Amino acid sequence: MVKKVTIMNNPLYPALLKKLSEGAELTKNEYLELIRNRETVRDMASELARAERDRSYGPCIFVRGLIEFTNCCRNDCYYCGIRRSNTNIRRYRLSPEDILSCVDTGYGLGFRTFVMQGGEDPYYTDDILSDIIRSIKELHPDCAVTLSAGERSYESYRKLREAGADRYLLRHETVNPGHYARLHPSSMSHKERTNRLKMLMELGFQTGAGFMVGSPYQTEEDLADELIFLRGLRPHMVGIGPFIPHKDTPFAGMEAGSSELTVFMLSLIRLTLPYVLLPATTALNTVDPQGRIKGINSGANVLMPNLTPEDLRNDYSLYDNKLTSGPGAAANIGLLKDLVRATGCTIVTDRGDCRYI
Ligand code: SAH
């Protein structure tokens, strides 16, 4: 007689999730089991993660105005559309005046955090960036400034912090050095990247780590390791989104990461780091029209609508088919409010600092 095994009824995975939601530390193997068997516990993970988010911050979704201030980059990451070697791209840089004008527009729309993200562009010296940060802070002292400008020296980060930058996003991209080496040219170092996260935390930035889900060569074991790494690092923010191929990169033909796995990872991150600020990213909404909603329903609590001048938005092309209009555009914050309200959450327009530093 054939023995029937119904995984659906295996009590192990729900028990593991419950344990995690009660604050216990899971082993790598336990995380791995959950990731491998996510089909069976997906809904439960979302539910627990949502409850955990609500316990930490209430059913609040924080919004950040995203200003993609330069698509010039000295790096050559194999996955990224604005990599140095891509000659099929119109490069741009926003002037300090342009950036301040984006901030003013965003301020009028209610934003109180601005994220300046760009390629690693040496044009923006410490002095230039510091002046921009100071101007934003002078004009709008009630706002937080987040930078996402890649790897710089300790001294540079120190100056930017001194100028008033509050937060810094620097995804480590992968926890696994061997995997890192398959995503980046040899001139880039995994150790240098992760060390910078420690520098940023030491300098008092609210710091964001993160990685792509489903990047080429990533394994489920890597994902389990990500959770162990994040638990040890205790960053204030974690940015994850599915990898999406870009036609002018060496990874053009690779498969995109899935919405379903990304959303599950969001739940596990929320349960592992209850206080974390966790965006539902544009990339997630690009692979899945319901991505933003699914992210929020699985414990995410940040959205980053786009404030980049409209005529340049398409040139900040990290990956193909990036969404640049609709509720993800800052000007359409009204649409976003409606979408968020339908999830039972409310958009909050204060700075949205991490509460448990
Ligand atoms: N230069 C900055 C900002 C990089 S762009 C820095 O080094 O931090 C922000 C993030 O977009 C990257 O950290 C990467 O995780 C993500 N990204 C880049 N290319 C991508 C792609 N093809 N698919 C999905 N995400 C991508």
Side-chain angles (χ1 to χ4, degrees), residues 162-232:
E162 208 174 81
D166 302 273
R167 311 184 186 132
Y168 205 105
L169 304 174
L170 188 81
R171 290 186 179 183
H172 56 286
E173 311 298 358
T174 169
V175 67
N176 173 345
H179 183 215
Y180 189 92
R182 300 183 81 174
L183 300 180
H184 302 93
S186 57
S187 54
M188 294 178 72
S189 141
H190 180 256
K191 198 163 160 220
E192 291 286 327
R193 185 100 183 156
T194 40
N195 274 346
R196 277 177 170 71
L197 285 174
K198 294 181 187 123
M199 286 182 196
L200 291 163
M201 291 177 93
E202 193 181 303
L203 284 163
F205 282 100
Q206 289 176 44
T207 303
F211 55 90
M212 289 174 287
V213 175
S215 57
Y217 317 113
Q218 183 183 62
T219 63
E220 288 174 334
E221 241 184 85
D222 290 333
L223 290 173
D225 277 327
E226 292 295 355
L227 294 159
I228 302 280
F229 171 75
L230 290 173
R231 184 176 72 203

Side-chain angles (χ1 to χ4, degrees), residues 70 72-73 75 77-82 116-121 147-151 168-173 184 188 193 210-213 215 239-246 249 251 283 316-320:
T70 171
C72 302
C73 191
N75 283 334
C77 310
Y78 300 151
Y79 46 84
C80 185
I82 64 168
M116 285 173 54
Q117 188 182 87
E120 248 175 60
D121 183 356
L147 297 176
S148 176
E151 294 176 38
Y168 205 105
L169 304 174
L170 188 81
R171 290 186 179 183
H172 56 286
E173 311 298 358
H184 302 93
M188 294 178 72
R193 185 100 183 156
F211 55 90
M212 289 174 287
V213 175
S215 57
I240 68 164
F243 158 75
I244 305 173
H246 184 289
T249 63
F251 289 167
Y316 195 78
S317 51
L318 304 179
Y319 44 81
D320 288 335

Side-chain angles (χ1 to χ4, degrees), residues 244-260:
I244 305 173
H246 184 289
K247 61 181 175 29
D248 299 316
T249 63
F251 289 167
M254 300 286 195
E255 207 182 310
S258 76
S259 153
E260 158 280 317

Side-chain angles (χ1 to χ4, degrees), residues 38 95 101 135 178 215 224 228 250 255 264 314 339:
R38 57 188 179 274
S95 67
S101 144
S135 306
S215 57
I228 302 280
E255 207 182 310
F264 189 69
N314 283 328
L339 279 180

